[in-house]
């Protein structure tokens, strides 16, 4: 062995020993990687030591070369072993640490939520009818054509059944007599209740309905409330009494209420109910005219009428023995009038700055 190769060999062994200690002393991954760069990096100590190779005798170059590779591999192994040990230690520390309590309150104060304004108004309306003796019921939003249209005496070519107005649900192989759709009104609850029980009954129901509508006062999804009462000898007088009591509870006891003739296929006679405009009422109780009521002094709030005998027959109720009335209203419309909201779409944008106002 030449002097050069002997001193390289001794140097490499010392280097290897030094880095075994350096790696052992590194107590995190960053320090460990720093130490590795110092020995194996481009300007690292091992690379520098190899510069001495040029002085090694040609016949010893091979064995010194092999030694260098062994030392490099052994430093690499020491590094990997220490890295694995550090990672294992971190994992164990994490597992042994006190568990993070997900139920702890956040650092920033979080405002309390509340019911959506549409839901608040819907509950208020339902409560008024419940206090008048109506019982609450429920109906599905995906309905068959018969319960939404046919049994309510809509003629088959009625424009409401048109693709323009109704969302039809495409079900392959569905029976054409039971085509599914998204209900366009809550009057399906009338059909379901009257088909499944015997009068007398007074029912109120609220929920989402769907139409292909979209502008500042019409939304593709909105909410309605439906109510109906069936018994012997029910007349238009009871309809007027119940709906007047309702309107005056909702808008105030001195609110004027009027009934205007109107048409719905499932009632006869049919009417629309208007209340005196809540926006242009002046202090002495008289009403001026305003933009919201289009200078008429009246606001339409619901549709109603005496249940058509044809609807009773479709639901298996004796139309000779029973009469009844029904009504339906848009909840968003009531909420918009109550809070002076000019555009229905803000009710569904879920902007917390808007919702926090209710
Ligand atoms: C009906 O839906 C009848 N089922 C109501 C009824 C029930 C009449 C029982 C007689 C007896 P109409 O299509 O007019 O009626 O809708 C009722 C209310 O829903 C409207 O006055 C309006 O306030 C609301 N409305 C209708 N379309 C929309 C829409 N796209 N967005 C928001 N509200 C709407």
């Amino acid at each position: 062995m030449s002097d050069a190769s002997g001193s390289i060999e001794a140097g490499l062994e010392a280097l290897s020993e030094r880095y075994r200690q350096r790696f052992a002393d590194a107590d995190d991954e960053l320090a460990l990687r720093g130490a590795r760069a110092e020995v194996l990096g481009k300007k690292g100590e091992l690379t520098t030591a190899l510069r001495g190779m040029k002085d090694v005798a040609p016949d010893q170059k091979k064995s010194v070369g092999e030694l260098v590779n062994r030392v490099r591999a052994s430093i690499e192994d020491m590094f990997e072993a220490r890295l694995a040990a550090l990672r294992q230690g971190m994992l164990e520390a994490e597992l042994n640490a006190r568990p993070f309590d997900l139920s702890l309150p956040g650092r920033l104060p979080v405002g309390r939520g509340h019911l959506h304004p549409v839901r608040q108004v819907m509950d208020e309306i339902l409560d008024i009818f419940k206090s008048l003796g109506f019982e609450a019921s429920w109906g599905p939003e995906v309905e068959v054509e018969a319960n939404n249209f046919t049994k309510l005496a809509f003629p088959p070519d009625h424009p409401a059944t048109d693709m323009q107005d109704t969302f039809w649900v495409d079900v392959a192989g569905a029976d054409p007599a039971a085509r599914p759709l998204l209900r366009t009104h809550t009057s399906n609850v009338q059909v379901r209740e009257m088909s499944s029980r015997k009068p007398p009954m007074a029912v109120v129901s609220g929920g989402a309905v769907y139409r292909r509508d979209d502008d500042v006062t019409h939304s593709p999804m909105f909410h309605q409330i439906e109510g109906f009462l069936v018994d012997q000898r029910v007349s238009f007088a009871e309809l007027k009494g119940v709906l007047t009591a309702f309107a005056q509870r909702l808008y105030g006891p001195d609110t004027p209420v009027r009934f205007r003739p109107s048409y719905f296929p499932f009632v006869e006679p049919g009417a629309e109910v208007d209340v005196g405009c809540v926006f242009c009422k002046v202090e002495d109780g008289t009403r001026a005219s305003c933009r919201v009521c289009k200078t008429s002094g009246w606001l339409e709030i619901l549709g109603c009428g005496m249940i058509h005998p044809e609807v009773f027959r479709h639901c298996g109720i004796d139309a000779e023995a029973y009469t009844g009335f029904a009504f339906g209203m848009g909840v968003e419309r009531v909420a918009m009038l109550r809070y002076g909201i000019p555009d229905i779409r803000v009710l569904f944008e879920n902007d917390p700055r808007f919702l926090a106002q209710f």
Side-chain angles (χ1 to χ4, degrees), residues 144-306:
V144 289
E145 182 175 7
N147 291 346
N148 193 85
F149 289 130
T150 328
K151 289 188 177 176
L152 287 164
F154 278 80
D157 55 353
H158 191 282
T161 64
D162 207 288
M163 290 303 291
Q164 301 295 310
D165 280 354
T166 301
F167 291 104
W168 292 93
V169 183
D170 210 359
V171 177
D175 173 359
R179 283 200 293 169
L181 48 76
L182 297 183
R183 69 174 175 184
T184 58
H185 53 179
T186 40
S187 300
N188 65 329
V189 180
Q190 250 189 77
V191 174
R192 287 176 165 265
E193 293 289 320
M194 293 198 304
S195 304
S196 62
R197 41 198 282 213
K198 295 273 157 261
M201 60 180 113
V203 176
V204 68
S205 183
V209 303
Y210 304 84
R211 293 184 193 177
R212 291 175 61 137
D213 268 349
D214 200 3
D215 61 39
V216 289
T217 53
H218 295 84
S219 157
M221 189 279 305
F222 61 102
H223 297 80
Q224 281 192 343
I225 287 188
E226 182 87 5
F228 60 95
L229 182 148
V230 184
D231 202 349
Q232 290 168 344
R233 290 185 297 281
V234 177
S235 75
F236 205 92
E238 276 93 33
L239 165 64
K240 282 187 84 171
V242 166
L243 292 180
T244 303
F246 158 71
Q248 293 186 339
R249 286 209 200 170
L250 191 65
Y251 291 107
D254 59 345
T255 305
V257 179
R258 75 174 185 186
F259 288 73
R260 254 183 315 109
S262 185
Y263 173 74
F264 300 93
F266 38 95
V267 288
E268 181 56 41
E272 268 166 340
V273 174
D274 298 337
V275 291
C277 177
V278 287
F279 292 109
C280 57
K281 182 179 165 188
V282 285
E283 253 173 33
D284 64 1
T286 57
R287 285 172 166 79
S289 51
C290 73
R291 223 158 47 95
V292 183
C293 64
K294 300 197 182 87
T295 72
S296 72
W298 295 96
L299 294 170
E300 180 207 314
I301 59 160
L302 57 86
C304 62
M306 300 305 292

Side-chain angles (χ1 to χ4, degrees), residues 2-15:
S2 71
D3 277 359
S5 71
S7 70
I8 285 180
E9 198 173 326
L12 287 176
E13 261 159 29
L15 187 75

Side-chain angles (χ1 to χ4, degrees), residues 104-113:
L104 283 174
R107 293 210 179 98
L108 295 173
V110 177
R112 284 191 70 175

